[in-house]
């Protein structure tokens, strides 16, 4: 009888440890696009066109942390004059970034299993960035894809890189998405997709 109780208690303890150590990060991508010729008068142009789009990271809590410009657009990054901010949007707010209905967007969501320690690191750095933006938003500088890579790097999902190298190599969302998709297929991460409306030309 005593042996059964020991096994039972061991199962409860290990199950509790596993539950505490299991978490996930969801990387949300809105694909880049441009209006088709027949719909140029009704569909809006998006910054970046088919090479644009938007990306943010959710800690499976409904808050999608994403990096945005604030104020005058900068072609080159400024160290002391940062016109940028990190925001924590709900899903409706995030997917309304281009003022389009969620159902009309082409999207990809990659779910990355992480440990409890990785989740703590992500929460810590994202809360820090929400209070004070660490870098400027600029065309030749950090933008949403590079900033999302930086968040994932702090969580230990991807390799940490200096800021300058990050924005040079993760220049737009498709580069980050392809990198994560390769890892997703290798590690069997969940991938969900949504096809956009037929009024726009979407990146493949």
């Amino acid at each position: 009888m005593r042996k059964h109780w020991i096994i039972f208690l061991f199962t409860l303890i290990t199950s509790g440890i596993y539950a505490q150590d299991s978490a996930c990060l969801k990387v949300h991508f809105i694909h880049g696009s441009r209006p088709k010729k027949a719909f140029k008068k009704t569909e809006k142009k998006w910054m970046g066109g088919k090479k644009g789009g938007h990306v943010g990271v959710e800690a499976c809590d409904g808050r999608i942390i994403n990096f945005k410009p604030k104020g005058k657009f900068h072609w080159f990054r400024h160290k002391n004059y940062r016109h940028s901010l990190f925001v924590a949007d709900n899903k409706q707010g995030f997917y309304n970034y281009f003022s389009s209905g969620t159902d009309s967007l082409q999207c990809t969501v990659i779910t990355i299993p992480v440990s409890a320690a990785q989740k703590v690191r992500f929460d810590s750095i994202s809360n820090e960035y929400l209070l004070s933006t660490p870098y400027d938003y600029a065309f030749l500088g950090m933008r949403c894809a590079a900033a999302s890579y930086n968040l994932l790097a702090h969580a230990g999902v991807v390799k940490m890189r200096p800021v300058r190298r990050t924005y040079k190599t993760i220049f737009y969302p498709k580069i980050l998405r392809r990198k994560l998709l390769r890892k997703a297929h290798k590690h069997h991460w969940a991938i969900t997709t949504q096809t956009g409306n037929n009024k726009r030309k979407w990146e493949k």
Side-chain angles (χ1 to χ4, degrees):
M1 185 70 177
R2 184 180 178 183
K3 183 178 180 181
H4 289 302
W5 272 106
I6 292 173
I7 295 173
F8 176 70
L9 289 173
F10 177 78
T11 303
L12 285 178
I13 292 169
T14 53
S15 297
I17 292 172
Y18 178 80
Q20 292 174 5
D21 200 46
S22 60
C24 71
L25 298 176
K26 291 184 177 182
V27 188
H28 295 256
F29 291 92
I30 301 173
H31 290 225
S33 73
R34 59 183 174 86
K36 289 183 178 179
K37 189 175 181 180
F39 301 97
K40 284 186 176 181
K41 292 183 178 180
T42 56
E43 290 288 309
K44 293 182 178 180
K45 290 184 178 180
W46 294 358
M47 185 173 67
K50 292 178 72 174
K51 293 292 186 181
H54 194 48
V55 55
V57 186
E58 176 198 355
C60 292
D61 59 0
R63 296 192 318 158
I64 302 176
I65 311 299
N66 59 112
F67 188 57
K68 296 180 178 180
K70 180 184 179 183
K72 186 179 179 181
F73 181 78
H74 289 172
W75 286 98
F76 303 96
R77 65 186 183 126
H78 291 243
K79 289 185 177 181
N80 299 321
Y81 175 37
R82 297 173 181 173
H83 87 140
S84 60
L85 74 166
F86 275 87
V87 296
D89 285 323
N90 59 25
K91 290 182 181 179
Q92 182 178 359
F94 176 81
Y95 284 105
N96 201 38
Y97 183 72
F98 293 110
S99 300
S100 300
T102 304
D103 294 338
S104 68
L105 298 173
Q106 182 169 307
C107 312
T108 297
V109 181
I110 301 172
T111 301
I112 306 171
V114 295
S115 68
Q118 287 176 298
K119 171 68 164 52
V120 168
R121 290 200 297 271
F122 175 83
D123 288 341
S124 176
I125 196 65
S126 58
N127 288 332
E128 180 182 327
Y129 285 3
L130 287 168
L131 289 174
S132 178
T133 183
Y135 28 68
D136 188 25
Y137 186 108
F139 178 75
L140 295 178
M142 295 294 281
R143 288 181 284 145
C144 64
S148 295
Y149 181 97
N150 182 251
L151 288 174
L152 294 171
H154 278 285
V157 174
V158 293
K159 184 179 180 180
M160 180 63 75
R161 294 173 174 174
V163 168
R164 182 182 292 271
R165 188 179 174 195
T166 298
Y167 71 70
K168 284 184 176 180
T169 54
I170 311 296
F171 195 62
Y172 49 86
K174 184 178 180 179
I175 296 173
L176 176 60
R177 189 173 67 251
R178 292 178 69 179
K179 182 180 290 290
L180 292 180
L181 284 172
R182 286 195 295 268
K183 292 174 73 70
H185 291 303
K186 180 179 179 180
H187 300 291
H188 306 290
W189 297 343
I191 304 167
T192 58
T193 60
Q194 176 179 290
T195 303
N197 67 32
N198 59 6
K199 297 179 180 180
R200 309 185 67 87
K201 288 188 177 181
W202 300 92
E203 61 173 320
K204 295 181 180 180

